[in-house]
Amino acid sequence: MSQPIRLTVNGTDLERSDLDDAERLLDTLRWRLGLKGTKEGCRTGDCGACTVLVDGESTLSCLTLTREVEGTRITTIEGVRGEPAGPNVLTAFGAEPALQCGYCTPGFVMALTGLLQEEGSTHRTSNLVDELEGNLCRCTGYRSIIRAIGALGDELR
Amino acid sequence: MTRSDGPAKLEGRAEFGTDVEVPGMLWGALVYAPVAHGRIRRVPLSGVRSMPGVAAAVGPDDLDRLLPGGGDRNRPVFPRTEVMYRNQPIAAVAARTASEARAAADAVRADIEELPALIDLETRFPEWPGPEAARSEGIIAHVHARHGDPDGAFRSADLVLTETYRTSGIHQVAIEPHACVARVDGGVWHVTTTTQTPFGVREDAAEILGIREADLVVEGTWVGGGFGGKGAAFLEPYALLLAAAAGRPVRLGFGYREEFLLGRSTLPSIIRIETAVSGRRIEARRVRLLLDSGASLPGRDFATGYSIGFLLGPYKIPAFEMEGYAVRTNKPPFGPHRAPFAPQCVFALESHMDELARRLAVDPIAFRLEHVWAEGDPTQFGQRVGPFGARAALEAARARIAAWRTDAPAGHGIGVALGFWSTGTGAGGETRLRLSERELVIEQGEREIGSGSVIRGLVAVAERVTGLPAESIRVAYSDTSTAPYDTGVFGSRTVGALGQAVEKAAKTLLGILGERLGTPPVRLEFAEGRIAVLTNKGLRGLETLLTDTERTAGGLLVGGRHFGTPGTIDESRVLDGTFYPYSDFTAAVHACEVNVDPETGAVRVVRSAAFHDVGVVVDRPMAVAQIEGGVAMGLGEALTEEALWSSDGRLLNPGLLDYRIPTLGEVPSIEVVPIEGFLGAGPFGAKGLGEPPVIAVPAAVANAVAAATGARVFELPLTAERVVRALKRLEGPARA
């Protein structure tokens, strides 16, 4: 039997001993913890739909073994309102609205939240756009997402 | 927030097909054929049935046992004798966990005798096929039509231009992969799935399984993008069969690799266009299409006969001949992709139109304006063109690019293309409106796929007819056993067709209220959470107008239905196969400015503008969003998206790193210009807008590259390599 794993997910401390050694964080979140807001896309790190925050840092949960993040603080879309930048990001995406089918949306929200919270973050709209190249969207053509980021930039300044 | 689904999607609370989970659920996995073509000797499954966690394994030998009559003989769940493409599902396994299911499926060793495979169109037809090929082996569809005297026109022409274009296979790449959960319960088959067409899946899956439609219930979910890839039944029959065998619910989902390997995508084509011109007038056109249809082509003649019409374009042409062949190859079946085959045909035609204009030394937009249809003109099959905004859209584009020319840097090129689309308003549907004291509910059978056509489009129609604000109108979903019938979200038809059902129902509702009031309602109003009716005599609370029974039943219920009547075509012009009338006549003009790196051939689109013949704008933010997204998809088709196959039928780029879709920094500014006033069949004159935004983009990019460099690229996509080759041809001795 596997060693138990301790995680803090959206502020709740968990200890699980039912996880496989090679289990991905994405699968732990979705199928063990029922946090389906973290979306399963490519599972190869190319689409960004599964982005979560690990100790505040934007992370692809499909390429992360749950065992690797033992003892960390994980935030998923279900907990993003509790992050300092989360409410602003949600408001900006909602006001545009910077979403259509909505499948890539939690990944964008998490990645952007992580970027804005980086220590000493001096992000401007232009480099935020560069930093988010790893998140793919097929519906919007990204224009509404870029507008939402722009609006957010104004608010932050 | 203009979308009521926004908050749930933003915070991850919307349940998509991939998220569905039921107690006791097993995980399914498919067994894939290891060859592109082969004769099945045996698919032995007894070994895997005893592997860890395995609850069921089903293959061709189990069909007779599990399905009435063994299911559809023409379209069996698993092939009984012949594998038609590499990775074709030949069996399936259900197990306790996903990894146990995958391990068991991978352990199946099928005994299959490999047969020669046909992968490339040009292997089959190195030269253009003659008429004798039409009935030969492997021709899935043949269409042929003629009008006037094309041969005479070609003999007497001042200019004849003959060109051959090629297009590549492309994938839809919805970010959400396919997934469904199936169960069989008390003789009723249930499947919850991510689909554009719940009723289409019911019809299709019931036929494949050999069960009655009444015994199959399909429940849709939020759909994480469709683009044509989530139409007909796909994973559902496999999942249902596994559930029947296991006696427990089964989840079956795809990873992206499987999406690429097996998704029903658009396949390559070869297109030849010949045009005869006298003076600067097009006198005749011959078009020919060789379409790779993979192992099968849904709608055979429809796919071919409809596509090929786009090669004549929305232009007045006195004489024509067109002939198309759909050729079976050992690739996965062809599937629809947003505006099926229009971007490819329009790429060929509109590149050709620019080349004609160049040889005639005519402005390309002026040349189009001299030939484009106007309302009342006959189509190639003698149908009368309805209100059509092509001319206005072209003129708007001309004005815009004149402004661009004043500040475009040297070396940049500007291109324009005209696309034509016919919205699928012929495909019908029904709705029920339920009006209570507190809300108006639109009961209907579609699911929102992202465009907003359901969640916002149908609501906007109800708003406009009743006067109620959006916050008092709710769209309700249910499964196919209870929802009103609708054909689904495809063909840009949701607002145009189902919207008409909503419009009719809303008018009926007002009529009933008028009868009860003794005076016609001016509109409905919503204040402090309650609905009231405004008439010339004042405001009357709805609660006083509903009967007790209606209140108990949740409101006043009225139905609306719209089933379009197709137009007719002049059949005397049809020599073989079937051609189809158009419904709404919709124009899409795209203009863009590109910069081409002469060393690397890399093309960068720096700005673009989209001019869309929308009839009327129903909801501006949604219309803009739809057009922006379509343009981005068109840019991918124009520049990078290309499925690559080896000669033995292996897909060489089954992933997002090698099959490149546009990323955040690659989509330029897109100016959206709705062209209003050329009214369509939809509510208030709205035309469909789901597919048109993508149609003219590849052609406009190709024309801009030619304008920038003088080099014409005859193949989609315009990869850097193809652009460099075209530049070298320009410099090379062949040209001198």
Side-chain angles (χ1 to χ4, degrees):
Chain A
M1 203 61 205
S2 301
Q3 290 293 310
I5 294 181
R6 285 172 300 105
L7 298 169
T8 304
V9 179
N10 298 331
T12 304
D13 294 330
L14 302 170
E15 185 171 315
R16 301 283 297 219
S17 49
D18 57 347
L19 309 189
D20 299 331
D21 283 344
E23 187 163 313
R24 302 170 191 221
L25 179 59
L26 171 68
D27 294 327
T28 304
L29 293 171
R30 285 174 56 80
W31 302 107
R32 306 267 187 204
L33 305 179
L35 297 170
K36 303 273 184 62
T38 300
K39 292 302 170 211
E40 174 172 338
C42 65
R43 293 179 73 89
T44 48
D46 301 318
C47 79
C50 68
T51 306
V52 298
L53 302 184
V54 175
D55 286 337
E57 192 176 331
S58 164
T59 301
L60 295 169
S61 65
C62 75
L63 293 187
T64 304
L65 297 182
T66 309
R67 215 156 265 290
E68 287 178 81
V69 291
E70 156 102 50
T72 60
R73 187 175 64 83
I74 292 160
T75 307
T76 69
I77 190 71
E78 288 87 350
V80 75
R81 279 204 180 276
E83 291 288 319
N88 277 350
V89 172
L90 290 172
T91 303
F93 268 59
E96 183 53 41
L99 62 93
Q100 288 189 27
C101 84
Y103 202 77
C104 70
T105 310
F108 269 98
V109 169
M110 296 315 294
L112 187 52
T113 300
L115 283 170
L116 293 170
Q117 291 176 187
E118 276 177 12
E119 213 163 321
S121 167
T122 54
H123 285 300
R124 279 209 261 259
T125 301
S126 58
N127 61 18
L128 281 174
V129 165
D130 290 342
E131 295 280 349
L132 287 170
E133 285 261 331
N135 288 76
L136 297 179
C137 171
R138 193 61 155 167
C139 293
T140 62
Y142 306 104
R143 301 308 305 178
S144 56
I145 294 172
I146 292 169
R147 286 193 291 270
I149 295 170
L152 196 62
D154 295 344
E155 253 167 52
L156 291 180
R157 277 196 289 274
Chain B
M1 175 84 70
T2 55
R3 310 183 56 119
S4 57
D5 57 348
K9 287 178 171 178
L10 267 172
E11 298 189 49
R13 286 183 276 109
E15 185 179 64
F16 291 84
T18 48
D19 301 330
V20 177
E21 188 175 5
V22 299
M25 179 178 94
L26 298 167
W27 293 71
L30 296 173
V31 178
Y32 299 118
V35 297
H37 188 203
R39 187 169 297 117
I40 298 172
R41 293 202 191 98
R42 244 181 105 236
V43 184
L45 297 174
S46 55
V48 302
R49 286 193 173 108
S50 56
M51 285 178 67
V54 171
V58 291
D61 297 341
D62 303 298
L63 299 179
D64 289 337
R65 177 172 62 86
L66 292 167
L67 299 174
D72 186 5
R73 293 278 150 181
N74 297 321
R75 233 178 1 151
V77 180
F78 301 116
R80 291 166 189 271
T81 53
E82 192 178 3
V83 166
M84 291 302 296
Y85 54 97
R86 190 176 290 278
N87 298 311
Q88 182 171 8
I90 52 172
V93 177
R96 210 170 34 193
T97 68
S99 52
E100 285 169 342
R102 187 72 263 157
D106 288 347
V108 174
R109 292 287 169 268
D111 182 2
I112 296 174
E113 177 194 352
E114 189 164 3
L115 298 172
L118 174 68
I119 303 303
D120 189 24
L121 275 177
E122 280 173 88
T123 313
R124 172 72 201 271
F125 291 119
E127 304 295 333
W128 280 94
E132 73 288 350
R135 299 286 177 264
S136 65
E137 170 66 23
I139 299 299
I140 290 185
H142 175 252
V143 295
H144 191 192
R146 184 166 44 215
H147 176 59
D149 177 19
D151 297 345
F154 272 91
R155 278 194 298 274
S156 63
D158 298 333
L159 169 70
V160 170
L161 180 62
T162 303
E163 291 178 323
T164 302
Y165 290 88
R166 286 174 168 75
T167 67
S168 297
I170 51 170
H171 303 281
Q172 294 93 353
V173 198
I175 304 297
E176 180 203 29
H178 287 83
C180 62
V181 175
R183 67 182 204 277
V184 183
D185 197 358
V188 180
W189 303 60
H190 295 263
V191 65
T192 305
T193 186
T194 174
T195 179
Q196 299 174 232
T197 63
F199 286 92
V201 168
R202 182 178 73 169
E203 179 184 345
D204 212 20
E207 187 180 307
I208 291 169
L209 296 169
I211 61 175
R212 300 187 317 152
E213 280 187 39
D215 293 334
L216 174 59
V217 178
V218 179
E219 182 183 13
T221 63
W222 291 105
V223 179
F227 313 112
K230 290 174 181 157
F234 188 32
L235 297 186
E236 296 86 355
Y238 305 118
L240 286 159
L241 186 68
L242 280 172
R248 283 170 62 183
V250 175
R251 178 191 196 271
L252 187 61
F254 262 0
Y256 268 33
R257 187 178 162 77
E258 291 158 308
E259 288 289 328
F260 280 104
L261 291 174
L262 286 168
R264 305 312 195 218
S265 56
T266 286
L267 296 170
S269 78
I270 306 173
I271 292 165
R272 181 182 288 184
I273 309 187
E274 295 174 273
T275 302
V277 180
S278 291
R280 50 195 270 180
R281 186 88 220 148
I282 296 175
E283 296 294 346
R285 179 164 281 161
R286 289 195 194 108
V287 297
R288 301 222 268 177
L289 169 67
L290 274 185
L291 183 63
D292 183 338
S293 57
S296 66
L297 182 65
R300 294 161 185 261
D301 275 11
F302 179 78
T304 329
Y306 199 67
S307 300
I308 200 169
F310 297 115
L311 290 173
L312 291 178
Y315 297 117
K316 289 175 277 191
I317 298 172
F320 72 82
E321 180 163 9
M322 54 179 162
E323 188 173 21
Y325 298 81
V327 183
R328 179 184 290 128
T329 62
N330 296 108
K331 295 199 188 89
F334 190 103
H337 182 129
R338 197 176 196 167
F341 228 67
Q344 292 78 7
C345 289
V346 169
F347 159 71
L349 172 66
E350 290 293 287
S351 297
H352 182 76
M353 287 295 281
D354 258 30
E355 287 299 309
L356 282 169
R358 188 170 67 80
R359 282 168 176 75
L360 295 166
V362 190
D363 171 68
I365 293 183
F367 184 59
R368 287 175 173 83
L369 285 169
E370 287 166 16
H371 292 89
V372 74
W373 289 338
E375 182 172 358
D377 283 335
T379 67
Q380 54 267 35
F381 288 108
Q383 203 187 344
R384 291 287 153 193
V385 173
F388 189 47
R391 174 171 295 275
L394 283 168
E395 282 167 352
R398 179 156 64 179
R400 178 62 71 257
I401 66 171
W404 287 357
R405 288 223 161 85
T406 62
D407 62 357
H412 282 210
I414 294 169
V416 173
L418 166 63
F420 164 61
W421 191 243
S422 160
T423 305
T425 47
E430 301 172 348
T431 183
R432 291 189 296 259
L433 297 186
R434 195 181 291 272
L435 181 68
S436 69
E437 295 155 41
R438 297 185 178 276
E439 64 177 353
L440 175 66
V441 181
I442 303 172
E443 299 177 358
Q444 51 80 50
E446 295 190 355
R447 288 304 308 242
E448 174 62 50
I449 71 168
S451 67
S453 62
V454 174
I455 201 78
R456 181 70 199 119
L458 299 181
V459 171
V461 171
E463 267 185 274
R464 219 149 147 166
V465 176
T466 63
L468 284 171
E471 65 263 28
S472 64
I473 303 172
R474 178 165 62 87
V475 177
Y477 307 101
S478 50
D479 62 43
T480 54
S481 68
T482 51
Y485 174 83
D486 185 68
T487 37
V489 183
F490 63 90
S492 308
R493 63 168 290 282
T494 300
V495 173
L498 189 56
Q500 289 189 61
V502 172
E503 184 185 18
K504 285 176 192 163
K507 286 179 175 165
T508 304
L509 197 59
L510 293 181
I512 292 170
L513 294 175
E515 280 171 24
R516 293 183 185 182
L517 284 157
T519 181
V522 176
R523 62 170 182 272
L524 304 186
E525 293 201 346
F526 183 68
E528 291 167 3
R530 297 202 163 263
I531 290 173
V533 189
L534 181 70
T535 68
N536 291 331
K537 297 174 183 167
L539 206 58
R540 176 98 175 261
L542 193 72
E543 65 278 5
T544 64
L545 293 170
L546 297 183
T547 65
D548 288 345
T549 314
E550 284 163 357
R551 262 193 227 106
T552 311
L556 169 58
L557 186 71
V558 298
R561 61 201 313 253
H562 166 73
F563 287 88
T565 44
T568 54
I569 65 167
D570 179 355
E571 293 287 348
S572 71
R573 301 175 187 187
V574 177
L575 303 176
D576 193 22
T578 312
F579 291 86
Y580 294 84
Y582 298 123
S583 39
D584 268 2
F585 291 82
T586 307
V589 170
H590 194 73
C592 65
E593 177 182 327
V594 304
N595 177 29
V596 181
D597 183 326
E599 296 298 320
T600 65
V603 176
R604 195 167 58 89
V605 179
V606 296
R607 59 182 159 183
S608 64
F611 306 85
H612 283 276
D613 174 23
V614 297
V616 296
V617 173
V618 174
D619 180 285
R620 184 166 171 99
M622 292 293 123
V624 169
Q626 189 63 12
I627 292 169
E628 289 173 339
V631 168
M633 190 170 250
L635 285 174
E637 294 179 17
L639 295 173
T640 57
E641 294 186 37
E642 177 176 14
L644 300 164
W645 282 276
S646 69
S647 58
D648 63 347
R650 281 170 216 274
L651 185 70
L652 298 172
N653 54 344
L656 286 167
L657 280 185
D658 299 314
Y659 181 93
R660 292 263 292 105
I661 67 170
T663 63
L664 187 59
E666 292 173 346
V667 180
S669 70
I670 300 162
E671 185 188 354
V672 171
V673 185
I675 306 291
E676 294 190 276
F678 302 90
L679 300 184
F684 326 111
K687 292 179 176 175
L689 197 54
E691 292 155 309
V694 75
I695 292 175
V697 178
V701 172
N703 287 341
V705 168
T709 63
R712 173 61 59 184
V713 179
F714 292 94
E715 186 164 2
L716 275 183
L718 280 74
T719 57
E721 182 181 340
R722 290 197 180 105
V723 172
V724 164
R725 284 180 196 280
L727 290 170
K728 288 208 186 304
R729 274 200 304 274
L730 207 59
E731 295 161 2
R735 177 115 189 150

